[in-house]
Structure formats: structure tokens, C-alpha cells
Amino acid sequence: MFGFLNGYFSNDLAIDLGTANTLIWARGQGIVLDEPSVVAIRQEGGPNGKKVIQQVGLAAKQMLGRTPGNITAIRPMKDGVIADFTVTEQMLKQFIRKVHKSSIFTPSPRIVICVPCGSTQVERRAIRESAYGAGARRVELIEEPMAAAIGADLPVEDATGSMVVDIGGGTTEVGVISLGGAVYSGSVRVGGDKFDEAIINYIRRNYGMLIGETTAEEIKKKIGSAFPGSEVREMEVKGRNLAEGVPRSFTISSNEILEALTDPLNSIVSAVKTALEQTPPELGADIASKGMVLTGGGALLRDIDRLLMEETGLPVLIADDPLTCVARGSGKALDRMDKFSSIFTTD
């Protein structure tokens, strides 16, 4: 009997449904899935034929920009919200099935899902519905800055101000949290995707070369930086020459990538400054002494902490394992659902 009850409650999940990656945290196991939010769809029997999901996650991401005519690799999440409802639901189903491999019963977990704080009620309802469609028994939504703060072990319940900046794939979320609630939360639709886009446009404009998203992401990870450094790193890049129409390779430096990323980085800095302007003075004093914490994949961009430190004059810390911070925070909230009931959103 107890074994059955244990099995019944053990499949509760916390999902960070991100624009770039989806992470799933399972009770008692920690993070059990970390895959790109990409779905490859195969069209069967002509243009009006049936659409079948070929792959999800990592296998689908490797197909981006490399698919034949009857297969399309798409990212169903855009700017932190659902762009394609049906595909997102199917992707969630597949991911939940991967986590619950050997179950006699169809999994019907309680699920906590992160949402951007700038998302509308319609967008939140779409996320909620897709989770129910994927087999959830109960769905709670939590705003990303709150989840990130809990994941970074900030004292969210205390009467002290904690500031968190979560730079994801589609959005950057800035939150000031005190006494278990968000005093200020703001969201700008700038993140890792906009960085990649800026690199693609810069290379097209200055080199007359066309590169794909995957190559742009690789450049960002290897030589991208947010602040001028002492050493200049270089990387050889292959792409298609627009004038000649043939593939060519060229070398690009980290200073050029810094120039390419200026606009999206400025948007993030101005979002942080807006948050600081809107923060009550008492909490502002707490943040001035403790600083702000960076989470999300964008926190891994080289020297982004230095940029924010120079621009705001405040201490800036990068959370441990920033990529999984939001998922871990959602998991902790799920574990203490009764205690943390105030942090879940009601739409």
C-alpha cells in the first residue's frame, strides 16, 4: 500500500520549459532531463499528408538547418512563450514519457512549470493547457525570477531584498524578491537567441557571408564576450559567400563579436537599471550590499558579470550551475508546495 502511494506521489515533476532547452526535475532524483526544445516533424505522403513527430530534443537539434524537404526541425517556443501549441504539447508528452520509462500506469504527475513574468494570461493558459494535454494531474505555474532565486539559494522568505537576473534563450527576467513575493519583476524579450541573431547579421553585413544558427551559437560560446578583455581570441568560421554563392571560411575575432552583441547587451543593462530605479530604497540598500545574482544560460557569456558591475556599480555574482538554476528552484518549490503556496501564480 505504502509502495503504491509512494509511486503515486513520486512522479511529480518541475519543468523549465525554455526557449532553448527544456529541463525536467523529478522528486527524489534531481534533474532527469536536459534537452534542447526542438522538434523534427516528418510530412508523410505529399503536402496534405499526415504530420508525424520524427525526433525531439538533442536528435532534433542536430537536424536544424540540415533537413530534407519532407522533414522540418522547429523550435515550438519563441521568446519564452509557446509559438506552436500542438507541437509543444507533443514535445512535453515525449519528454515526460522519457522520464517515466518503465511505468505500468500512464504517468499523471503534478507539474510545476516556469513562465516568463512578462507573459500574458493567454500565454500562461496555453502553457497550462499543454501540460494538461501532456497528461498532468495538476499544474502550477511559477514565475522565472522567483524560481531562479529559489534555485540560487537566495533568502526569498526573509525580509531582505534579493535581486536576480535570469538570462535565458528567449527572455531576460529581472526580479527583486522579498518576503516570499516579487516586489518588482520585469521581462525583456532579449536572450541567447538575440545574441545568435546579432552575430548572424553582423557577419552578413561585414563579411558578406551567411552562417546558420548552430554556427552562430558555437561562435558565441567559444569567443563571445560582453566586456573588452586583454586577450583577443580568434576563430575560423565556415559559411556561404553571398556574392559568389559558394562556401568559404574566414577568421573572426572576439572584439568583433563584442561589437556585434552591443545592442542586445544594452537592452539587458537597461532592464537591470529600470529594475533598480523601481526598487524601494530599503530593498535597494540590501541589494547594494549583497549584489545581484545572474542565472540562466546567458550568465555563461564571458565577462557579462563585469559588464553589469561596471554599468551599475553593484557586486554581481553568477549562480552555481546557472543553466539548471530555474529547474532546481522549481523543484524546491514543488517539494515545499504547501509552504511556498504564495509564490505560485494565479491567472
Side-chain angles (χ1 to χ4, degrees), residues 11-341:
N11 60 7
D12 290 353
L13 305 174
I15 301 178
D16 174 12
L17 190 60
T19 310
N21 294 295
T22 296
L23 286 90
I24 297 184
W25 178 99
R27 173 170 282 160
Q29 294 171 274
I31 293 192
V32 288
L33 183 132
D34 177 0
E35 299 226 7
S37 307
V38 184
V39 180
I41 298 168
R42 188 176 75 247
Q43 183 96 32
E44 290 187 339
N48 300 322
K50 199 170 77 159
K51 288 185 174 178
V52 180
I53 290 190
Q54 174 98 356
Q55 292 285 3
V56 293
L58 196 60
K61 189 183 183 184
Q62 287 162 350
M63 297 181 184
L64 273 176
R66 293 190 164 95
T67 54
N70 65 331
I71 295 177
T72 46
I74 61 164
R75 296 171 64 177
M77 303 289 293
K78 183 130 184 68
D79 297 336
V81 293
I82 293 176
D84 190 318
F85 184 81
T86 325
V87 176
T88 304
E89 193 176 301
Q90 291 300 323
M91 179 177 81
L92 266 178
K93 261 188 192 155
Q94 299 260 18
F95 284 155
I96 290 171
R97 206 168 290 149
K98 271 189 185 180
V99 175
H100 291 289
K101 278 198 180 82
S102 57
S103 174
I104 306 166
F105 307 102
T106 310
S108 59
R110 288 192 304 178
I111 293 182
V112 170
I113 299 189
C114 303
V115 289
C117 55
S119 57
T120 63
Q121 281 197 334
V122 174
E123 289 163 344
R124 290 178 184 208
R125 201 165 298 127
I127 289 176
R128 206 184 270 276
E129 291 294 321
S130 63
Y132 279 124
R137 175 168 93 247
R138 176 180 164 195
V139 180
E140 295 286 354
L141 302 183
I142 180 171
E143 291 191 342
E144 270 170 36
M146 181 60 85
I150 296 169
D153 290 326
L154 295 178
V156 291
E157 298 281 287
D158 299 353
T160 171
S162 303
M163 183 170 179
V164 67
V165 182
D166 178 46
I167 308 168
T171 59
T172 293
E173 316 273 323
V174 187
V176 175
I177 288 151
S178 173
L179 288 169
V183 178
Y184 170 88
S185 57
S187 176
V188 283
R189 299 205 166 177
V190 175
D193 287 354
K194 285 282 190 289
F195 292 162
D196 297 346
E197 220 173 276
I199 291 170
I200 292 171
N201 293 339
Y202 180 88
I203 288 174
R204 176 186 275 183
R205 212 169 43 241
N206 291 32
Y207 285 86
M209 301 286 288
L210 193 62
I211 60 165
E213 283 176 33
T214 314
T215 309
E217 192 179 1
E218 202 180 318
I219 295 170
K220 175 182 72 180
K221 284 178 178 172
K222 281 195 176 163
I223 62 168
S225 72
F227 198 77
S230 49
E231 58 160 333
V232 176
R233 290 175 307 283
E234 293 192 332
M235 178 179 170
E236 191 184 354
V237 180
K238 295 179 179 66
R240 188 174 88 225
N241 187 304
L242 289 165
E244 299 172 20
V246 290
R248 290 269 180 267
S249 65
F250 59 99
T251 304
I252 195 161
S253 74
S254 55
N255 284 351
E256 290 173 290
I257 299 304
L258 175 63
E259 192 185 323
L261 296 178
T262 305
D263 281 354
L265 286 170
N266 284 346
S267 301
I268 291 174
V269 168
S270 63
V272 170
K273 285 184 173 171
T274 306
L276 290 167
E277 282 166 18
Q278 306 280 336
T279 304
E282 291 296 338
L283 297 179
D286 295 337
I287 293 164
S289 60
K290 288 195 306 187
M292 67 185 90
V293 175
L294 297 187
T295 67
L300 298 171
L301 182 68
R302 194 178 275 104
D303 288 340
I304 195 160
D305 50 341
R306 275 190 65 192
L307 172 75
L308 286 168
M309 221 181 285
E310 291 286 328
E311 291 285 345
T312 61
L314 298 174
V316 179
L317 308 163
I318 294 177
D320 296 335
D321 198 3
L323 274 169
T324 64
C325 216
V326 173
R328 283 183 288 121
S330 313
K332 285 180 185 173
L334 174 69
D335 259 348
R336 291 181 276 174
M337 207 177 235
D338 308 324
K339 185 188 169 202
F340 276 160
S341 58

